[in-house]
Amino acid sequence: MEENDVYRTIDGVAKGEYTEKRSKFLAFAHPVMTVDEIKDLVEYYQKKYYDARHCCYAYMLGADRSAFRANDNGEPSGTAGKPILGQINSNELTDILIVVIRYFGGIKLGTSGLIQAYKAAAAEAIAAARIVEKTVDVSVEVCFEYPFMNQVMRIVKEEGPVICRQGYEHDCSMTLRIRKSRLPRLQERLLKVETLKLLDA
């Protein structure tokens, strides 16, 4: 299996709960794709649990796991968002948001207590989620003359890309989607077909 084109995420919303010294922590894990989606979800939880003391979160985006953020929402710096993000990292997940709502129970937990509680709540949500592996897919556009249709279709059938779009105006064109690690072989075979042009989709 090609490591560089596989990533782990969750396939649905999951919930976890943790209680420490009467403070209640509710954790929600969501599969997400964009920062806008994350903003909407954080806003939703802030409104729904308006009576809670804190609404902390962390997220990770992208197959390369390069876009991430942790937010403490008023808790001492590094005691909430960071431990939540730590759980996302230790499970090697991406395209995920975890929101943890805290209801204060009247007893202070201290820095280490908070870190442990947010970590445990996030871990509970991840444990309740179904983790799935996905492949990084890329698109390519193929243009060719009609007489070469059979040749192209044979390659498509053997290499197994998904046909996203087909057009038959002046020449034939197709948008194909395939796993990243299998693209070079598909391109190499298609380029051997006479008159065929490859474009980035």
Side-chain angles (χ1 to χ4, degrees):
M1 186 180 282
E2 292 274 344
E3 285 301 315
N4 68 339
D5 70 349
V6 177
Y7 62 95
R8 284 157 56 88
T9 188
I10 59 172
D11 75 346
V13 183
K15 185 182 171 185
E17 205 172 295
Y18 183 76
T19 307
E20 180 67 31
K21 292 178 182 169
R22 297 209 299 269
S23 271
K24 197 173 180 187
F25 297 83
L26 305 175
F28 302 91
H30 282 260
V32 286
M33 299 298 286
T34 66
V35 172
D36 285 341
E37 205 180 336
I38 289 162
K39 282 179 185 166
D40 290 345
L41 282 166
V42 170
E43 210 174 288
Y44 163 78
Y45 282 110
Q46 284 170 338
K47 281 179 183 168
K48 185 174 180 181
Y49 296 97
Y50 66 91
D51 56 340
R53 178 69 71 91
H54 300 281
C55 174
C56 307
Y57 66 90
Y59 68 77
M60 179 82 71
L61 288 176
D64 58 357
R65 307 175 74 242
S66 61
F68 56 87
R69 188 169 174 214
N71 186 299
D72 294 316
N73 189 234
E75 292 282 31
S77 180
T79 61
K82 213 171 170 185
I84 298 168
L85 186 63
Q87 286 303 298
I88 293 172
N89 268 324
S90 63
N91 286 277
E92 296 177 345
L93 297 171
T94 192
D95 291 347
I96 183 173
L97 163 72
I98 299 179
V99 177
V100 180
I101 308 294
R102 180 193 181 190
Y103 282 97
F104 184 52
I107 302 167
K108 290 193 173 182
L109 302 184
T111 304
S112 60
L114 283 171
I115 290 169
Q116 179 51 39
Y118 279 101
K119 179 182 172 181
E124 287 293 324
I126 291 170
R130 200 168 83 94
I131 293 171
V132 290
E133 280 201 344
K134 291 189 175 183
T135 56
V136 180
D137 296 333
V138 287
S139 295
V140 64
E141 194 171 336
V142 186
C143 299
F144 54 94
E145 291 173 7
Y146 193 78
F148 297 97
M149 172 68 84
N150 285 346
Q151 252 179 293
V152 171
M153 288 312 290
R154 188 175 72 245
I155 294 167
V156 166
K157 191 179 174 190
E158 287 167 5
E159 295 299 326
V162 174
I163 300 171
C164 303
R165 190 194 62 80
Q166 282 178 284
Y168 304 100
E169 287 81 52
H170 307 300
D171 285 336
C172 301
S173 66
M174 272 181 206
T175 304
L176 304 173
R177 196 155 179 79
I178 193 165
R179 185 170 166 175
K180 190 179 173 186
S181 59
R182 290 168 55 188
L183 179 65
R185 183 178 153 84
L186 175 69
Q187 286 176 317
E188 189 188 339
R189 290 191 65 190
L190 285 171
L191 285 167
K192 286 178 181 165
V193 178
E194 245 181 296
T195 81
L196 186 138
K197 288 199 297 283
L198 285 180
L199 308 165
D200 284 331

